[in-house]
């Protein structure tokens, strides 16, 4: 079985793929669109892509593609804590340059300022690219901020663990496929994700859409608007709902139809924390 994921090797997405599919063939792709297209073109059995980070927010490339261009559903969600490590080729060498993705550099800013105030900061496309760059220059006084899987992937030594400033940092990943995969991770909850489009001639349309879930006691865990890409001021709304009582959710979706509110199911899935 083949699993497409957002590469390169040593990235946080790679780590999530390893945890979810430890015995399957993992195939990296350069961007989210290519990952999804690999699944659409039947090159792989499942695709794993990031959908939201607790600090940075939603991954718009994922949500926009699934709404506008694809007819694919998320069939599982992996939730991974984001922990940043400082790694080098040789631990006894003075660090003069630190490489990483801008988000990782921002998360480790306080640690860098305290321990390596003179080090030059270099931005890379991803944390995994940073680790690979350091590994490719073993004679240089370089370090990378990256996940621990990158140290294993590229043979680097971790000299400082968990240097991120915010501990409560998590990323949600969606598994796209025909049916739910068999995972050995523990199940945390069950959710459904919808994209709603509202009619122009229905006053209080968003309020009425939310009411069909509220009066049934269905917990909404997220709501976000995205441009509909038609004219200025038109949006679709992404909502995540608790799906423990799926029959209640089905009734709510029927009520949405009677109100003239269109929806697209982006995913119906169980949540697996790492």
């Amino acid at each position: 079985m083949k699993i497409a994921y957002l590469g390169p090797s040593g990235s946080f997405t790679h780590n999530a793929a390893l945890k979810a599919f430890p015995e399957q063939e993992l195939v990296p792709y350069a961007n989210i669109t290519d990952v999804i297209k690999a699944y659409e073109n039947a090159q792989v059995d499942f695709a794993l892509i990031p959908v939201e980070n607790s600090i940075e927010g939603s991954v718009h490339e994922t949500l926009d593609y699934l709404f506008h261009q694809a007819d694919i559903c998320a069939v599982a969600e992996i939730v991974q804590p984001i922990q940043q490590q400082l790694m080098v080729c040789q631990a006894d060498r003075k660090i003069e340059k630190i490489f990483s993705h801008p988000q990782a550099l921002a998360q480790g800013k306080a640690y860098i300022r305290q321990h390596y105030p003179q080090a030059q900061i270099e931005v890379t496309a991803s944390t995994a690219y940073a680790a690979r760059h350091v590994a490719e220059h073993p004679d240089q006084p370089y370090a990378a901020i990256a996940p621990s899987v990158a140290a294993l992937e590229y043979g680097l030594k971790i000299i400082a663990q968990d240097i991120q400033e915010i501990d409560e940092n998590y990323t949600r990943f969606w598994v796209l496929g025909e049916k739910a995969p068999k995972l050995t991770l523990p199940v945390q909850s069950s959710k459904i994700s919808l994209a709603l489009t509202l009619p122009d001639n229905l006053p209080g349309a968003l309020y009425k859409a939310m009411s069909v879930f509220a009066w049934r006691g269905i917990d909404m865990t997220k709501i976000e608007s995205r441009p509909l890409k038609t004219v200025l001021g038109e949006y679709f709304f992404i909502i995540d709902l608790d799906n423990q009582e799926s029959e209640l959710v089905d009734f709510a979706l029927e009520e949405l139809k009677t109100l003239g509110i269109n929806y697209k199911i982006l995913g119906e899935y169980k949540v697996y924390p790492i």
Side-chain angles (χ1 to χ4, degrees), residues 2-9 11 13-14 17 25-50 61 126 128-129:
K2 291 184 178 181
I3 315 298
Y5 72 94
L6 178 62
S9 300
S11 65
T13 312
H14 183 211
E25 181 181 353
L26 305 180
V27 185
Y29 288 84
N31 57 67
I32 290 170
T33 298
D34 286 348
V35 175
I36 300 175
K37 285 184 175 179
Y39 174 75
E40 288 182 304
N41 296 332
Q43 296 172 277
V44 296
D45 300 284
F46 292 98
L48 183 75
I49 50 176
E61 184 180 354
S126 74
Y129 282 126

Side-chain angles (χ1 to χ4, degrees), residues 5-18 26-28 85 87-89 126-136 144 146-158:
Y5 72 94
L6 178 62
S9 300
S11 65
F12 282 109
T13 312
H14 183 211
N15 187 65
L18 286 170
L26 305 180
V27 185
Q85 324 298 331
M87 54 193 69
V88 296
C89 280
S126 74
T127 53
Y129 282 126
R132 188 170 71 184
H133 182 76
V134 171
E136 290 173 347
S148 55
V149 67
L152 294 173
E153 183 73 19
Y154 299 110
L156 301 178
K157 299 175 182 178
I158 295 175

Side-chain angles (χ1 to χ4, degrees), residues 86-248:
L86 186 68
M87 54 193 69
V88 296
C89 280
Q90 298 183 32
D92 57 351
R93 179 174 293 161
K94 182 181 177 181
I95 296 173
E96 296 180 9
K97 280 188 180 182
I98 299 176
F99 296 82
S100 199
H101 185 273
Q103 291 181 13
L105 291 169
Q107 292 165 11
K109 180 172 58 178
Y111 183 90
I112 296 171
R113 188 185 300 121
Q114 180 181 354
H115 294 89
Y116 302 99
Q118 305 302 320
Q120 183 179 345
I121 304 301
E122 295 285 346
V123 173
T124 58
S126 74
T127 53
Y129 282 126
R132 188 170 71 184
H133 182 76
V134 171
E136 290 173 347
H137 299 83
D139 297 329
Q140 297 299 319
Y142 294 165
I145 299 175
S148 55
V149 67
L152 294 173
E153 183 73 19
Y154 299 110
L156 301 178
K157 299 175 182 178
I158 295 175
I159 59 172
Q161 294 183 325
D162 300 342
I163 67 170
Q164 68 278 356
E165 295 180 42
I166 301 175
D167 291 330
E168 293 299 315
N169 186 1
Y170 296 87
T171 294
R172 299 167 60 200
F173 298 89
W174 277 354
V175 178
L176 308 179
E178 285 280 336
K179 58 183 180 179
K182 295 180 180 179
L183 305 182
T184 58
L185 297 170
V187 176
Q188 183 181 67
S189 60
S190 180
K191 291 165 62 178
I192 184 169
S193 295
L194 308 173
L196 306 180
T197 51
L198 307 177
D200 294 333
N201 59 350
L202 181 63
L206 181 58
Y207 169 78
K208 291 176 180 177
M210 298 302 98
S211 295
V212 306
F213 305 111
W215 76 263
R216 290 182 171 87
I218 300 170
D219 185 26
M220 182 172 63
T221 59
K222 172 183 176 174
I223 180 169
E224 178 182 356
S225 63
R226 291 289 300 145
L228 203 49
K229 299 185 179 180
T230 50
V231 298
L232 186 65
E234 291 192 348
Y235 301 89
F236 69 95
F237 294 85
I238 300 157
I239 62 172
D240 291 348
L241 302 164
D242 181 88
N243 198 31
Q244 299 289 350
E245 298 186 59
S246 57
E247 188 175 4
L248 281 180

